[in-house]
């Protein structure tokens, strides 16, 4: 039910179902928590999101379920709570491309270009290959700083990784060069 409500953009009903589930003594699993956190992020329910985060911590699930960690990360970046997002990210044992992109996108959304590029480089050192989202956000950061040198380096990586025909990446390249 909760996932269905989320898919239909009915986040308030999803959270009501989550509460009903708990009243009926049904223990939430990782998917339930992830969906409930997504609902919080969708409607800006910061307080409820923090409550769910606390419950996840009490149950010892933090850092053990990537789907939950990524949902927390996404929720906090949507709220602009980048310090909290960073704390969650730092506890993820093996961040995947979703984890990295969520953090990078969050920093980009709040015009923190230096952090975007810092985490882009950390992601590469960790052996995670960038995708179109990573490149798009990183190019935007280069344009906002501005850093044409880093932008040209990213351009070479884009060609090397085969993203030169991706429309969002190409648009971001044009924008970056125009701003630099």
């Amino acid at each position: 039910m909760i996932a269905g409500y989320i898919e239909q953009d009915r986040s308030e009903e999803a959270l009501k179902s989550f509460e009903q589930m708990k009243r009926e003594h049904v223990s939430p699993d990782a998917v339930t928590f992830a969906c409930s956190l997504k609902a919080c992020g969708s409607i800006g329910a910061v307080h409820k999101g923090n409550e769910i985060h606390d419950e996840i911590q009490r149950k010892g699930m933090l850092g053990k379920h990537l789907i939950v960690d990524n949902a927390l990360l996404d929720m906090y970046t949507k709220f602009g709570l980048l310090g909290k997002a960073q704390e969650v990210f730092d506890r993820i044992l093996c961040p995947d491309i979703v984890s990295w992109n969520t953090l990078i996108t969050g920093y980009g959304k709040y015009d923190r270009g230096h952090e975007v590029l810092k985490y882009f480089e950390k992601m590469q050192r960790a052996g995670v290959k960038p995708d179109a989202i990573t490149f798009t956000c990183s190019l935007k950061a280069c344009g906002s700083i501005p850093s044409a040198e880093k932008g040209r380096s990213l351009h070479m990586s884009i060609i090397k990784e085969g993203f030169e025909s991706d429309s969002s990446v190409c648009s971001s390249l044009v924008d970056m060069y125009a701003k630099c």
Side-chain angles (χ1 to χ4, degrees), residues 36-104:
S36 299
L37 291 166
K38 183 173 183 178
C40 292
S42 295
I43 61 172
V46 178
H47 182 70
K48 185 66 183 170
N50 283 325
E51 285 178 14
I52 294 171
H53 184 177
D54 290 343
E55 186 174 349
I56 291 165
Q57 281 186 298
R58 279 193 308 275
K59 290 183 176 266
M61 296 176 75
L62 197 61
K64 294 185 178 159
H65 298 275
L66 193 55
I67 188 173
V68 173
D69 298 334
N70 284 342
L72 270 169
L73 188 57
D74 183 58
M75 180 190 72
Y76 284 129
T77 59
K78 283 181 180 167
F79 295 155
L81 299 172
L82 299 176
K84 294 281 276 186
Q86 186 65 60
E87 288 174 23
V88 171
F89 183 84
D90 290 342
R91 293 191 66 173
I92 300 173
L93 297 176
C94 292
D96 65 359
I97 189 67
V98 173
S99 312
W100 287 103
N101 279 346
T102 302
L103 187 65
I104 287 169

Side-chain angles (χ1 to χ4, degrees), residues 115-140:
E115 283 90 347
V116 169
L117 298 176
K118 172 181 151 185
Y119 283 97
F120 176 84
E121 289 174 11
K122 281 186 172 189
M123 182 185 91
Q124 288 185 304
R125 284 194 305 270
V128 178
K129 286 194 175 272
D131 64 7
I133 294 167
T134 320
F135 282 125
T136 299
C137 292
S138 299
L139 288 166
K140 181 180 176 194

